[in-house]
């Protein structure tokens, strides 16, 4: 390809496809660099969604193209870099150059996606889900019935003791029952039956544990 005009129908079709794929926030620009001597930095010969940067056919290119035209930058292609419009909108940009047989740049396609709203949304979401400063000492579980709550509390009691019930001695079981008592487990109807079955103790033993626990608690408050 010696001139942009040689492949203009194909290039404009490609640009329409890119713009339609990514929507109104995606600007696609085709610049003719052969005309840079007259227009300074290339001439826009086709543009899709020009409202993104406020440009139109006949406008000039950007400062990036000048480096390529001057030869300061040999390769020229740039991918996924951040740019900004005059109004302060943030864009994610990519620029790809076309060269003739002599490796002279004759044109380029620029893709500019306005990510301003996405960046603002990301910031808002980050602030909303930021875990720093959130309390982690509240363990609320959402269940369908109160018996499920009891199952959760029994599991928490085992975690609190730090060993499976099969390896628990008397003191371990008292510690587990104390945890359940503080969490209000015994306010659940018939919870004693399930707790006795879990710890393999009788109701008489359970009541003794509770008497011991509550006496110590009372003594601590009085002391």
């Amino acid at each position: 390809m010696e001139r942009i005009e040689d492949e203009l129908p194909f290039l404009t079709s490609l640009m329409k496809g890119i713009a339609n794929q990514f929507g109104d926030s995606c600007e696609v620009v085709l610049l003719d660099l052969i005309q840079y001597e007259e227009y300074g930095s290339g001439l826009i010969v086709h543009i899709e969604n020009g409202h993104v940067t406020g440009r139109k056919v006949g406008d000039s290119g950007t400062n990036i193209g000048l480096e390529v035209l001057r030869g300061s930058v040999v390769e020229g292609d740039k991918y996924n870099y951040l740019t900004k419009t005059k109004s302060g909108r943030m864009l994610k940009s990519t620029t790809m150059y076309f060269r003739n047989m002599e490796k002279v740049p004759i044109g380029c396609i620029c893709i500019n996606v306005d990510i301003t709203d996405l960046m603002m949304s990301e910031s808002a979401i980050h602030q909303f889900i930021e875990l720093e400063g959130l309390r982690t000492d509240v363990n609320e579980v959402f269940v369908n019935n109160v018996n499920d709550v009891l199952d959760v509390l029994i599991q928490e009691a085992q975690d609190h003791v730090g060993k499976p019930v099969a390896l628990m001695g008397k003191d371990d079981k008292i510690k587990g029952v104390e945890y359940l008592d503080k969490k209000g487990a015994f306010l659940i109807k018939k919870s004693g039956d399930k707790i006795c079955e879990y710890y393999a103790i009788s109701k008489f033993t359970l009541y003794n544990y509770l008497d011991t626990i509550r006496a110590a608690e009372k003594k601590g408050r009085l002391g």
Side-chain angles (χ1 to χ4, degrees):
M1 181 169 57
E2 292 301 314
R3 299 183 66 88
I4 290 298
E5 289 86 345
D6 298 341
E7 298 292 342
L8 193 58
F10 166 74
L11 293 173
T12 55
S13 177
L14 175 64
M15 294 169 64
K16 287 181 182 295
I18 295 172
N20 278 281
Q21 175 69 27
F22 295 102
D24 292 342
S25 63
C26 177
E27 177 190 78
V28 190
V29 186
L30 176 63
L31 285 100
D32 183 347
L33 300 180
I34 295 296
Q35 305 180 65
Y36 78 92
E37 291 184 354
E38 181 177 354
Y39 294 98
S41 60
L43 176 72
I44 295 177
V45 294
H46 188 76
I47 188 167
E48 298 286 337
N49 295 327
H51 60 271
V52 172
T53 60
R55 294 181 296 172
K56 62 185 182 302
V57 171
D59 287 347
S60 64
T62 68
N63 58 301
I64 296 294
L66 294 175
E67 297 180 19
V68 175
L69 292 169
R70 186 183 182 281
S72 303
V73 177
V74 178
E75 181 58 31
D77 292 353
K78 298 180 182 297
Y79 307 98
N80 294 326
Y81 58 94
L82 198 64
T83 54
K84 186 187 294 185
T85 67
K86 289 188 296 184
S87 63
R89 305 287 293 181
M90 302 304 297
L91 311 178
K92 184 179 181 182
S93 301
T94 288
T95 300
M96 298 168 288
Y97 288 87
F98 307 110
R99 288 175 167 77
N100 60 18
M101 296 295 291
E102 288 74 37
K103 306 299 182 182
V104 176
I106 60 174
C108 65
I109 281 184
C110 304
I111 303 171
N112 304 303
V113 181
D114 188 340
I115 60 171
T116 308
D117 294 339
L118 292 175
M119 292 177 69
M120 293 177 65
S121 297
E122 180 189 36
S123 177
I125 291 172
H126 178 75
Q127 291 181 39
F128 189 75
I129 64 173
E130 175 61 52
L131 297 181
E132 185 177 352
L134 289 181
R135 292 184 59 183
T136 58
D137 59 331
V138 179
N139 184 25
E140 183 175 15
V141 180
F142 299 95
V143 296
N144 296 102
N145 61 72
V146 72
N147 289 320
D148 292 336
V149 174
L150 181 57
D151 290 336
V152 171
L153 291 177
I154 289 174
Q155 182 59 53
E156 286 183 1
Q158 177 176 300
D159 295 339
H160 177 68
V161 174
K163 63 178 67 174
V165 67
L167 300 179
M168 290 184 188
K170 177 181 177 181
D171 290 342
D172 296 323
K173 292 181 179 181
I174 291 175
K175 185 177 181 181
V177 170
E178 181 181 21
Y179 180 89
L180 290 169
D181 187 34
K182 287 182 177 179
K183 293 296 182 179
F186 293 101
L187 299 176
I188 300 174
K189 188 176 181 180
K190 296 185 178 180
S191 60
D193 294 338
K194 192 166 189 175
I195 292 170
C196 285
E197 180 181 356
Y198 177 76
Y199 285 110
I201 58 176
S202 66
K203 279 195 173 181
F204 177 78
T205 300
L206 175 62
Y207 294 145
N208 280 338
Y209 286 174
L210 287 172
D211 287 342
T212 300
I213 292 165
R214 290 169 182 174
E217 183 181 8
K218 184 178 181 179
K219 182 178 179 181
R221 288 200 300 265
L222 293 176

